Amino acid sequence: MVTTTPLEAELLELAGSVPDPELPVLTLRELGVVRAVHARGADAVEVELTPTYTGCPAIEAMSLDIERVLREHGVREVTVRTVLAPAWSTDDITDEGRRKLREFGIAPPRVRSASGPVTVALGPTRTRDDARPDGTPSGAPDGTPGGAPDGTDALEAIRCPHCGSADTELLSRFSSTACKALRRCLACREPFDHFKEL
């Protein structure tokens, strides 16, 4: 078991306080991408950073911002290492991060009901969520999950961050970033981004 020193914990907090370049309402800690800080001698550290997906264009900006913040706090040598395993998941976003996304007008990703691989099945494209007015997925006639071929019925409905309605539809699988989809609320008619589940 690896133990974290008080200095590493302090530097991890500093690195995690950096705002995300694409979603500045969130810190890297709230996004869950800063994994660890390891002290390497008196004034050198290595930061482990996991991108939200391989090839994320923001990883370079994140690395430079982390280096700047740690150097401003007296660390002379900062190395930011990209770590791909374990892979980042939207389940890594903190509760505070989810709250901030909602307040910012972005529907946070839904929490997956089970850990492990995500089942993908090919079938017709659905753009409108098949949910009951209370937001529970309709799925089978009795309301139990399992009706959609894409497996989304196991997740709760995507709620509008503006009015809270579960009556929403997909407009585009991609929005301002590859991590988000563009949706529209059918109750208040407002469009909104949805941070896609990974």
Side-chain angles (χ1 to χ4, degrees), residues 47-193:
V47 179
E48 292 182 3
L49 182 65
T50 300
T52 55
Y53 64 96
T54 305
C56 174
I59 197 79
E60 186 177 337
M62 290 177 191
S63 298
L64 291 173
D65 289 345
I66 288 170
E67 288 175 19
R68 178 185 48 77
V69 165
L70 293 180
R71 286 193 177 115
E72 286 173 358
H73 283 83
V75 180
R76 267 200 351 230
E77 187 180 329
V78 179
T79 303
V80 179
R81 187 168 61 93
T82 301
V83 178
L84 301 178
W88 179 86
S89 160
T90 50
D91 291 343
D92 294 330
I93 298 175
T94 66
D95 290 340
E96 178 71 3
R98 291 170 189 279
R99 182 190 64 76
K100 286 183 176 181
L101 284 172
R102 209 171 0 265
E103 287 179 358
F104 194 64
I106 299 172
R110 299 167 289 185
V111 178
R112 291 181 293 158
S113 57
S115 61
V118 176
T119 304
V120 177
L122 299 177
T125 302
R126 284 186 348 165
T127 58
R128 185 163 179 207
D129 289 330
D130 189 17
R132 298 177 187 277
D134 65 358
T136 58
S138 61
D142 63 355
T144 58
D150 64 1
T152 56
D153 284 288
L155 299 172
E156 65 185 52
I158 298 167
R159 293 192 171 276
C160 173
H162 306 294
C163 73
S165 172
D167 194 12
T168 66
E169 68 179 344
L170 180 68
L171 296 178
S172 174
R173 294 195 185 282
F174 297 97
S175 183
S176 56
T177 64
C179 302
K180 296 190 293 273
L182 181 62
R183 300 187 68 86
R184 176 176 52 208
C185 177
L186 298 174
C188 71
R189 308 302 293 172
E190 287 292 323
F192 64 92
D193 281 338

Side-chain angles (χ1 to χ4, degrees), residues 8-70:
E8 289 171 334
E10 178 185 344
L11 295 176
L12 179 62
E13 193 67 31
L14 283 170
S17 71
V18 170
D20 177 71
E22 292 179 339
L23 288 166
V25 69
L26 294 182
T27 65
L28 298 183
R29 180 190 61 77
E30 292 163 344
L31 188 58
V33 296
V34 176
R35 298 298 171 116
V37 173
H38 305 287
R40 306 283 187 227
D43 57 358
V45 297
E46 179 182 87
V47 179
E48 292 182 3
L49 182 65
T50 300
T52 55
Y53 64 96
T54 305
C56 174
I59 197 79
E60 186 177 337
M62 290 177 191
S63 298
L64 291 173
D65 289 345
I66 288 170
E67 288 175 19
R68 178 185 48 77
V69 165
L70 293 180

